């Protein structure tokens, strides 16, 4: 039996939010949706008929075997895994889940700022041994937060940080006025941002240009009292240089949520370096994250069916 419905493959383990969103958007009659667990591989029939794909990533050899595939939706904001594929067809429009972390990640970033400024962790540790150690909390008010990569998440962090009296500056590939940000500079002015900031927040994607960008030279641009926070990608940091800078007190310390290898190996010196806080990639996950991604996916699905431009399209030349 022939049909005009578009064939959509949801290659992920939890599809309830996506199926509900498709139905709620009134698109159920226009698509034929198949669900496939991550551990399984698409059948020959699925490869042949799939026109739209949603997945966190795909192994090599899959996409070229999908002759009808025109659009792939990544379930994550970062798409370095997709772009690293040796056989990513140029004919496929790739979209990412940019903006779906804007509820959880800004809160977790603010928690990181409070963690290093306020002595709650020290108090909790002292409580275990019954120690009363008087400490003075450092204020965030009046401090400067520098954000490298002022996207949707950075803009929301700026709103929150400004409510606590912080001055926010940062970089953006195409500088434009952003609410609650005192100064938006191009990437070429990164040194200015890092030199002025009491906290440097990394929200950049992993691209050839950003790989190892936080090295000894750039860490030297920071104040000795400044903290580095990385909620972008582990590839941004040259690990050995950061460890050396923290040990030598060239910067105050670092809060790291992302790493080159995850889980972070037990023998990695980040674990044992005093002044480095290791978080197990908690920045982005949210109990209802599938619901946020589903909203974007269904918006794009409607656009795909109507032949309209898709949202959050990946620019392959810049890597995100």
């Amino acid at each position: 039996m022939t049909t005009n419905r578009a064939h959509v493959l949801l290659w992920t383990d939890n599809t309830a939010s996506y199926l509900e969103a498709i139905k709620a958007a009134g698109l159920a009659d226009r698509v034929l949706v198949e669900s496939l667990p991550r551990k399984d591989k698409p059948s020959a029939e699925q490869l042949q008929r799939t026109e739209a794909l949603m997945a966190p990533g795909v192994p090599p050899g899959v996409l070229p075997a999908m002759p009808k595939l025109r659009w792939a939706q990544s379930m994550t904001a970062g798409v370095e895994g997709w772009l690293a594929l040796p056989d990513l067809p140029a004919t496929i429009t790739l979209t990412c889940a940019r903006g779906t972390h804007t509820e959880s990640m800004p809160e977790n970033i603010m928690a990181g700022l409070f963690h290093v400024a306020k002595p709650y962790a020290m108090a909790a540790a002292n409580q275990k041994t019954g120690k009363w150690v008087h400490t003075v909390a450092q204020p965030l008010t009046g401090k400067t937060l520098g954000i490298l990569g002022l996207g949707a998440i950075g803009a929301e962090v700026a709103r929150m940080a400004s409510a606590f009296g912080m001055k926010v500056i940062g970089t953006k590939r195409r500088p434009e006025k952003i609410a609650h940000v005192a100064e938006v500079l191009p990437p070429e002015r990164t040194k200015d941002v890092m030199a002025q900031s009491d906290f440097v927040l990394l929200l950049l994607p992993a691209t050839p240009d950003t790989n190892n960008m936080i090295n000894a030279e750039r860490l030297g641009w920071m104040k000795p009292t400044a903290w580095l926070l990385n909620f972008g990608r582990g590839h941004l940091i040259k690990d050995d240089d950061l460890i050396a800078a923290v040990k030598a007190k060239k910067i105050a310390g670092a809060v790291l949520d992302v790493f080159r290898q995850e889980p972070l190996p037990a023998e990695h010196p980040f674990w044992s370096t005093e002044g480095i806080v290791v978080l197990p990639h908690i920045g982005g996950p949210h109990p209802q994250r599938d619901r946020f991604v589903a909203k974007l996916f269904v918006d794009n699905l409607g656009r795909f069916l109507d032949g309209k431009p898709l949202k959050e399209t990946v620019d392959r030349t810049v890597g995100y």
Side-chain angles (χ1 to χ4, degrees):
M1 183 177 68
T2 59
T3 177
N4 291 323
R5 295 183 180 183
H7 286 265
V8 179
L9 179 61
L10 305 179
W11 193 2
T12 185
D13 293 328
N14 301 306
T15 59
S17 296
Y18 303 94
L19 295 172
E20 290 169 7
I22 291 171
K23 184 177 179 181
L27 300 177
D29 293 337
R30 302 179 63 187
V31 293
L32 287 173
V33 181
E34 294 183 84
S35 299
L36 185 69
R38 286 298 300 164
K39 64 180 179 62
D40 295 341
K41 298 294 175 63
S43 66
E45 293 77 13
Q46 287 172 327
L47 291 172
Q48 283 297 313
R49 60 181 172 240
T50 298
E51 299 169 63
L53 168 70
M54 187 195 72
V58 296
V62 173
L63 298 180
M66 293 180 157
K68 294 184 178 180
L69 184 66
R70 290 181 287 138
W71 163 47
Q73 171 73 58
S74 171
M75 297 174 67
T76 59
V79 290
E80 58 268 25
W82 293 82
L83 297 180
L85 289 170
D87 52 10
L88 179 64
T91 54
I92 294 174
T93 298
L94 178 63
T95 56
C96 68
R98 189 183 301 120
T100 57
H101 292 98
T102 50
E103 183 170 312
S104 56
M105 192 176 287
E107 290 187 5
N108 287 321
I109 289 169
M110 293 304 299
L113 291 173
F114 275 98
H115 178 82
V116 298
K118 311 300 180 182
Y120 283 78
M122 184 184 299
N126 287 333
Q127 181 176 347
K128 294 179 180 179
T129 56
K131 289 182 181 178
W132 178 286
V133 180
H134 183 70
T135 52
V136 179
Q138 296 299 312
L140 292 179
T141 301
K143 297 293 176 64
T144 297
L145 171 63
I147 302 177
L148 305 185
L150 276 165
I153 293 169
E156 180 63 8
V157 172
R159 183 188 70 80
M160 292 181 174
S162 65
F164 287 97
M166 300 186 77
K167 176 185 177 182
V168 182
I169 59 177
T171 62
K172 187 177 177 65
R173 187 162 60 93
R174 297 190 183 95
E176 59 186 4
K177 187 174 177 58
I178 299 174
H180 310 292
V181 181
E183 201 171 12
V184 182
L185 300 173
E188 295 76 28
R189 300 280 302 278
T190 295
K191 183 176 182 178
D192 294 337
V193 173
M194 296 183 73
Q196 294 180 53
S197 300
D198 299 295
F199 303 93
V200 175
L201 171 61
L202 307 180
L203 292 175
L204 295 163
T207 69
D209 288 339
T210 62
N211 187 46
N212 281 332
M213 71 168 288
I214 303 301
N215 55 20
E217 178 188 4
R218 291 187 172 92
L219 288 166
W221 297 343
M222 294 173 62
K223 300 177 182 179
T225 54
W227 282 78
L228 180 74
L229 294 87
N230 188 13
F231 283 78
R233 285 290 184 267
H235 294 73
L236 304 176
I237 293 175
K238 192 169 183 180
D239 294 2
D240 291 344
D241 286 3
L242 176 60
I243 292 165
V246 172
K247 285 184 174 180
K249 307 296 183 184
K250 292 183 177 179
I251 66 171
V255 177
L256 308 177
D257 187 53
V258 286
F259 307 91
R260 290 179 177 274
Q261 182 180 345
E262 296 183 7
L264 186 67
E267 64 276 9
H268 197 289
F270 277 162
W271 288 109
S272 56
T273 301
E274 185 177 353
I276 292 181
V277 179
V278 173
L279 302 176
H281 204 145
I282 62 172
H286 185 285
Q288 301 297 323
R289 184 163 183 273
D290 278 330
R291 179 165 53 86
F292 300 130
V293 179
K295 182 178 180 181
L296 170 63
F297 172 69
V298 168
D299 186 348
N300 265 343
L301 181 59
R303 291 167 176 267
F304 175 77
L305 295 171
D306 293 337
K308 296 179 179 179
L310 303 182
K311 285 185 174 181
E312 309 303 347
T313 300
V314 173
D315 184 340
R316 300 189 189 190
T317 60
V318 297
Y320 59 93

